[in-house]
Amino acid sequence: MNQVGFIGLGKMGFPMAVQLLKANYPVFGMDLNQQTMKQFQMLGGVPSTFEEIIHSTQYIILMLPSSRTVNTIIDSLLDIYQSGNLKSKPTIIDMSSSYPEDTRQNEQKLKALGLGFLDAPVSGGIKKAAEGTLTIMTGGKDSLFRECKPLLEAMGSKLFHVGPIGSGHLIKAVNNYLSAAHLLTTCETIHLLENYGVKPETAINVFNNSTGRSGSTEYKFPSFILNNSYQSGFSLELMSKDVKMASRLYEDMGAATAFPQAVCQKLEEAQHALPENADHTELFTYIATYLLTGRNSDEECKETDNRFTAFCTNAQPRSL
């Protein structure tokens, strides 16, 4: 069976790599956390250096925190390959939440040296990663997707080939923007209703049986917010990063909408107000500090309305 390199054994990467081990793939793993590496080895993985991974594997999966880190890893791989010290031609699968334009540029670099590349970000969180039931949205050549499909099926139960290279990362970014917008509006609504005397549990139950339901009402509120656990495993920092990426995409396309920027701004405010490692569901506690406290003066509200109107008036719509 083909050997797999897995770079980035974090909260999502570790259970994904474990699913590959369960599917009997030999997995060579790399992470900065030495305790994680020891646990990985106990489960049958092979702790490895970067050089060992690129010399020993046919597929290299990246599950890293940012495009910048992904770009560094790919540039390092290219340096070794261009030196003539890399004889095999591994296929690279970037399962991180990377910026689509970076992904397209990386594909061109790898293609010039005959290396295959897919972007295949995931959705579903730690729970589905541990179950092997992630949703995986893949961009790249259809033939390469079919080749890698058995590998991806070991980690996900819902696989989508969404289009050319970069489209997986694009749809992941806007998916997380939608998720953040749902959470933000639901948090504000629950606080508003509670102030009026409606119990949060009752409101969530009504939404889940009506058209206002979403992933936030069906899963996040019952699992992490109503019980005050706030332990989804996905940080506010990462959500803010993903929404910032989506906001940048809308701006780069000249889209005539201010909603992504508004959601991005609210998440950044929460990130600065809450503890450094706050879970993204703790957004609910931050919203309680401003929603009904009259924090914003009439002048501030008018200024915000004016900026919003000016943005929508001046923006030049383009086809998306």
Side-chain angles (χ1 to χ4, degrees):
M1 183 172 282
N2 288 317
Q3 299 182 131
V4 180
F6 206 113
I7 301 177
L9 300 173
K11 290 182 178 180
M12 287 293 292
F14 184 86
M16 291 166 64
V18 169
Q19 291 302 314
L20 292 172
L21 291 172
K22 289 180 178 179
N24 295 319
Y25 282 97
V27 183
F28 295 70
M30 174 183 164
D31 195 85
L32 297 177
N33 189 316
Q34 292 306 307
Q35 188 60 39
T36 296
M37 295 295 283
K38 289 178 182 178
Q39 188 178 0
F40 177 66
Q41 186 173 24
M42 289 175 60
L43 294 174
V46 183
S48 307
T49 64
F50 179 64
E51 288 76 14
E52 288 170 340
I53 285 176
I54 63 175
H55 286 295
S56 304
T57 61
Q58 289 74 51
Y59 298 93
I60 300 176
I61 293 173
L62 307 179
M63 194 62 178
L64 299 165
S66 68
S67 277
R68 180 178 297 180
T69 308
V70 169
N71 297 344
T72 299
I73 290 292
I74 287 179
D75 286 345
S76 297
L77 185 150
L78 291 171
D79 287 342
I80 293 174
Y81 198 89
Q82 288 171 327
S83 71
N85 293 326
L86 185 62
K87 304 304 180 184
S88 62
K89 290 188 175 182
T91 294
I92 316 301
I93 307 174
D94 182 12
M95 304 189 78
S96 321
S97 295
S98 301
Y99 194 70
E101 184 56 36
D102 287 351
T103 301
R104 286 191 282 265
Q105 292 177 8
N106 285 330
E107 193 264 349
Q108 290 301 311
K109 295 176 185 177
L110 292 165
K111 182 180 178 181
L113 294 176
L115 300 175
F117 186 51
L118 290 176
D119 58 305
V122 304
S123 181
I126 294 174
K127 182 176 182 290
K128 291 195 174 183
E131 296 170 347
T133 58
L134 290 167
T135 296
I136 302 177
M137 48 212 89
T138 308
K141 290 183 177 180
D142 184 63
S143 58
L144 193 56
F145 169 69
R146 290 197 302 270
E147 176 190 329
C148 296
K149 193 173 181 180
L151 188 68
L152 299 175
E153 285 176 332
M155 298 174 283
S157 60
K158 297 178 181 178
L159 272 60
F160 298 92
H161 182 228
V162 297
I165 197 73
S167 58
H169 284 145
L170 175 63
I171 200 169
K172 172 62 189 295
V174 296
N175 173 79
N176 281 18
Y177 155 61
L178 291 174
S179 177
H182 297 162
L183 179 61
L184 175 62
T185 54
T186 305
C187 286
E188 291 188 340
T189 300
I190 293 300
H191 279 301
L192 182 72
L193 290 171
E194 188 173 22
N195 187 71
Y196 200 78
V198 179
K199 292 181 179 180
E201 294 83 356
T202 300
I204 291 297
N205 189 32
V206 170
F207 295 148
N208 284 338
N209 287 278
S210 307
T211 56
R213 66 186 178 275
S214 68
S216 291
T217 64
E218 292 180 332
Y219 178 59
K220 294 180 183 180
F221 265 82
S223 300
F224 310 116
I225 297 177
L226 295 181
N227 59 13
N228 296 315
S229 70
Y230 305 111
Q231 294 180 348
S232 73
F234 184 55
S235 71
L236 178 62
E237 178 183 9
L238 287 178
M239 172 169 271
S240 181
K241 182 209 75 171
D242 288 348
V243 174
K244 188 180 296 183
M245 188 186 304
S247 177
R248 178 183 164 191
L249 285 165
Y250 277 90
E251 289 177 344
D252 288 349
M253 292 296 291
T257 175
F259 293 125
Q261 291 79 18
V263 175
C264 182
Q265 179 181 345
K266 193 57 65 179
L267 291 184
E268 288 182 339
E269 290 176 5
Q271 191 180 345
H272 287 123
L274 292 170
E276 183 178 357
N277 296 319
D279 191 88
H280 80 286
T281 56
E282 291 183 67
L283 180 66
F284 184 72
T285 66
Y286 169 67
I287 288 172
T289 68
Y290 75 80
L291 187 68
L292 298 171
T293 61
R295 187 186 69 174
N296 293 330
S297 67
D298 289 342
E299 290 74 17
E300 288 174 324
C301 291
K302 288 177 182 178
E303 183 182 350
T304 299
D305 290 343
N306 289 338
R307 287 201 304 267
F308 184 88
T309 301
F311 179 89
C312 292
T313 303
N314 297 329
Q316 297 298 317
R318 285 190 195 174
S319 171
L320 291 176

